[in-house]
């Protein structure tokens, strides 16, 4: 009994009575688990912050953090290891880690769109199959080298399958994060990689189930029973559980709260399914994953489940799994030339299998060599699923400590090199094309050219005003307008953000469930607008971190050769009539676009132009007030208002104010003053040509600040104000923001109006030096599939890219995922 007591220490009690009672909290399960979770979160998030400049996905930081906390680094101190991660706490830690992993795999199943996988293009399917088969074969070959050296006692069949699966895996969520960091998510190259990775992910789970079944200690008959029972469970899930989940989803309509009993029942089903698959012998993770796969993706039900579960699981419990893996990883076990040689061998075979198989297949399906090599490195990304395979292999005695450490380092290395290698080798080919029209105001010879507008929005509520403004700006029939509607989507650290990409359509507009209206309605709105208006619409999506999303806007404007970018104001109108900020990050986006844009920029302040719905072209009836003080920004604003005056349903009134005499120097004296006079005379000619009085010119006697304010207040009944950003006048408010001295007053609480405001900054390379890099000779726009479409519709070669980075015409056969 004494010997047994020495080998089997008493289980830890849950809570202590406190330090004042003379008890050490670290000797009790709950306070020790709390300390472990906090330490893991601090270490992994700190490493993620340090690796952020290298654009590494968070999984790299979590793997490194787990290794550092384990016996390879901090765990080399026995005091630290016995105090923070004692052996008697491992059961609790592993249970929490696997519980977090269970629900995370449920989330992964929720993200997986089986119908999208069925629509995978032939090229992506061929790449996926090659990216599985060749590394799987090399993994089997590598296993013989391992069994002959460091894993001599491992069972042959399970070890072969585990090694094959470990080398053939592509981490779908990690790949998506890397593509997001490289601005490749919505490109043809990115979609090809995501499509192939999705197929690879499903195949890896099937192979893993096979490996687990074979790794049992029983006879082959038992393994066969495990596989047959697992197949029966999958059929039962599809036939019996799926209708139940569909019934709950059907009773959870859009716009109504999901019943708590449905959420609770679904989470309980996840646990029950995990229990069943664990009982069968193929690990509890499979049950949770299958439940997630069969949850209906239509409607808000799946989205609410993600919201309820994701933050707690991904933020607190999932990192414990990486630490659990790190505690099993002892780099010190890799010693001697033989072990390090095996590490080099497994890395070489992993890269050769994935990269080689992908490159060869890509070349066979006519993908250019540079894109093929890039795809190869992207498909070589490892991640959480790799660790799951390795941990299961170690728990089942298929892998020993040394082989486990070698495989973990292989996964870390192949993932770490993906971003820098892709940045180095992927230099998309571009074609020189002129980017002449960077402003709304154009030279006389370009008067009939097409006006391209890049209109950005954050949410659905901006769409009606945006469409109504563009409709009012469409001009005459011989002066076409093309609107590139770009949805700006924040790619957060949440893994569910990847669903925005997985369900993205070819036109760049994803159809995913959101807290607002479903995006199908957004797509229908744009399609209906294009059919009922003379405006040509192209839907786009930018999915990036808010700190870098301005690059997507700027690059897209250059690729599309837009004359003006329209950005939403960083404040939203509330029911009390006041504007409230959406956050400093949104404010920073606008300031960066204003500073670096390669064309003119407009900031749209939305007060509900035309109401909450799009106004049809024949029912447009808007009144526009253009406030003109002088200067390049005001001339650009006047040019935009002049174009609006061409619409039969728009009445434009220009109010000319005398510029501040003390600020005339800003007008470059006589040249700028002459340009102002020419712009005013051109508008007056427009007044004379408009026989119905829809175009008016006023020159109020307003010289003082009070007189200017009084005049502007008299125009408060208009629907839209169009003003320049930096006119030569004194500020009308104490602390103007990026809207300038006049625009800031138009959105201030002191000015009572229901009018929307468009504040325009004219493109000027002298004051916008960063935009010079968009010179077509230095950075020509890309030639893409969109160019061919433009050429077909417009009768001339148009040159633009659907997304901020180039797309290769050779990557046209892609999946709609």
């Amino acid at each position: 009994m004494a010997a047994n007591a020495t080998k089997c220490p008493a289980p830890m009690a849950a809570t202590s009575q406190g330090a004042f009672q003379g008890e050490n909290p670290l000797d009790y399960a709950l306070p020790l688990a709390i300390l472990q979770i906090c330490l893991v979160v601090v270490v992994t998030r700190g490493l993620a912050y340090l690796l952020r400049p290298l654009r590494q996905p968070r999984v790299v930081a979590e793997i490194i953090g787990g290794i550092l906390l384990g016996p390879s680094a901090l765990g080399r101190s026995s005091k630290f290891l016995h105090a923070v991660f004692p052996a008697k706490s491992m059961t609790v830690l592993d249970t929490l880690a696997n519980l977090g992993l269970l629900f995370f795999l449920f989330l992964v199943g929720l993200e997986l769109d089986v119908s999208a996988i069925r629509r995978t293009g032939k090229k992506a399917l061929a790449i996926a199959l090659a990216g599985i088969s060749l590394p799987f074969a090399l993994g089997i070959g590598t296993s013989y080298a391992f069994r002959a050296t460091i894993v001599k006692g491992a069972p042959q069949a399970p070890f072969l399958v585990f090694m094959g699966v470990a080398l053939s895996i592509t981490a779908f969520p990690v790949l998506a994060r890397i593509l997001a960091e490289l601005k490749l998510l919505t490109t043809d190259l990115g979609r090809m990689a995501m499509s192939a990775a999705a197929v690879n992910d499903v195949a890896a789970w099937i192979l893993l189930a096979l490996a687990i079944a074979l790794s049992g200690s029983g006879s082959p008959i038992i393994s066969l029973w495990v596989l047959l029972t697992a197949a029966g469970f999958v059929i039962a899930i599809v036939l019996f559980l799926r209708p139940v989940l569909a019934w709950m989803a059907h009773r959870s309509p859009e716009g109504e709260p999901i019943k708590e009993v449905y959420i609770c029942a679904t989470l309980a089903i996840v646990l029950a399914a995990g229990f069943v698959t664990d009982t069968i012998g193929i690990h509890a993770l499979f049950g949770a994953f299958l439940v997630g796969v069969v949850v209906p993706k239509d409607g808000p039900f799946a989205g609410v489940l993600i919201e309820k579960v994701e933050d707690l699981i991904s933020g607190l419990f999932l990192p414990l799994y990486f630490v659990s893996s790190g505690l099993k990883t002892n780099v010190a076990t890799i010693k001697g030339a033989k072990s390090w040689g095996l590490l080099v061998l497994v890395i070489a075979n992993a890269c050769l299998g994935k990269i080689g198989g992908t490159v060869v297949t890509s070349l066979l399906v006519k993908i250019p060599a540079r894109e093929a090599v890039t795809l190869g490195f992207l498909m070589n990304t490892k991640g959480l699923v790799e660790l799951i395979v390795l941990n299961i292999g170690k728990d089942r005695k298929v892998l020993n400590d040394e082989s486990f450490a070698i495989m973990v380092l292989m996964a870390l290395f192949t993932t770490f090199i993906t971003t820098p290698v892709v940045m180095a080798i992927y230099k998309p080919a571009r074609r020189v094309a002129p980017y002449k029209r960077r402003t709304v105001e154009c030279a006389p010879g370009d008067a009939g050219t097409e006006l391209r507008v890049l209109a950005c929005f954050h949410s659905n509520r901006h769409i009606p005003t945006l469409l109504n403004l563009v409709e009012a700006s469409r001009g005459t029939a011989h002066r076409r307008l093309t609107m590139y509607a770009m949805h700006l989507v924040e790619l957060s650290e949440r893994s569910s953000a990847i669903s925005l990409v997985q369900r993205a359509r070819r036109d760049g507009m994803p159809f995913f469930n959101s807290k607002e209206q479903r995006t199908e309605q957004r797509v229908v709105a744009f399609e209906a607008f294009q059919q009922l208006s003379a405006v040509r619409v192209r839907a786009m999506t930018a999915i990036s971190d808010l700190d870098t999303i301005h690059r997507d806007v700027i690059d897209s404007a250059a690729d599309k050769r837009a004359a003006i970018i329209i950005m939403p104001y960083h404040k939203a109108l509330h029911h009390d009539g006041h504007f409230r900020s959406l956050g400093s990050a949104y404010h920073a986006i606008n300031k960066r676009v204003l500073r670096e844009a390669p064309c003119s920029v407009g900031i749209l302040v939305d007060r509900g132009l035309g109401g909450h719905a799009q106004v049809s072209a024949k029912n447009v009836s808007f009144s526009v007030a253009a406030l003109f003080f002088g200067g390049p920004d005001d001339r650009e604003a006047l040019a935009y208002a002049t174009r609006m005056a061409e619409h039969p349903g728009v009445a434009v009134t220009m109010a000319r104010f005398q510029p501040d005499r003390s600020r005339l120097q800003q007008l470059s004296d006589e040249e700028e003053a002459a340009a102002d006079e020419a712009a005013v005379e051109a508008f007056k000619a427009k007044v004379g040509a408009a026989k119905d009085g829809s175009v008016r010119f006023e020159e109020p006697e307003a010289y003082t600040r009070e007189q200017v304010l009084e005049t502007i207040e008299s125009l408060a009944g208009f629907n839209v104000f169009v003003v320049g950003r930096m006119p030569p006048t004194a500020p009308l408010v104490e602390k103007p923001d990026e809207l300038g001295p006049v625009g800031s007053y138009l959105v201030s609480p002191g000015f009572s109006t229901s009018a929307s405001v468009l504040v325009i900054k004219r493109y000027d390379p002298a004051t916008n030096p960063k935009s010079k890099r968009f010179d077509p000779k230095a950075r020509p726009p890309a030639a893409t599939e969109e160019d061919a479409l433009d050429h077909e519709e417009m009768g001339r070669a148009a040159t633009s890219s659907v997304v901020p980075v180039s797309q290769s015409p050779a990557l046209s056969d892609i999946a709609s995922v």
Side-chain angles (χ1 to χ4, degrees), residues 213-237:
L214 293 176
S215 64
S217 58
S219 65
I221 298 297
I222 294 178
S223 297
L224 180 61
W225 273 111
V226 170
L227 289 174
L228 292 176
T229 309
F233 177 73
V234 173
I235 295 172
I237 286 280

Side-chain angles (χ1 to χ4, degrees), residues 629-632 658-669 672 676 726-733 736 741:
F629 292 84
Q658 293 300 320
D660 189 342
R661 298 296 178 183
S662 64
R663 297 173 179 263
L664 275 177
Q665 187 63 33
Q666 296 182 12
L667 292 176
S668 300
D669 299 332
E672 285 291 326
D676 289 344
M726 296 301 292
T729 185
L732 303 182
V733 292

Side-chain angles (χ1 to χ4, degrees), residues 43 47 60-76 322-331 387 404-405 408-409 412:
V43 171
L47 286 171
V60 171
E62 290 170 331
I63 294 175
I64 295 175
I67 294 174
L68 292 179
L69 291 173
S72 301
L74 294 176
R76 295 179 70 88
F322 292 94
V323 171
S324 177
S325 301
L327 292 172
K328 302 172 187 175
T329 306
N330 189 356
V331 179
L387 288 185
F404 181 82
V408 169
L409 291 183
L412 180 61

Side-chain angles (χ1 to χ4, degrees), residues 281-317:
I282 58 169
H283 209 285
L285 303 179
F286 284 90
F289 177 74
L290 288 171
V291 174
V293 170
V294 299
V295 169
K297 307 304 188 290
D298 297 330
F301 188 62
V304 172
L305 283 171
I306 292 174
E307 290 178 16
K308 298 288 186 183
V309 176
E310 184 174 37
D311 289 337
L312 178 65
I313 297 301
S314 299
L316 292 182
F317 289 102

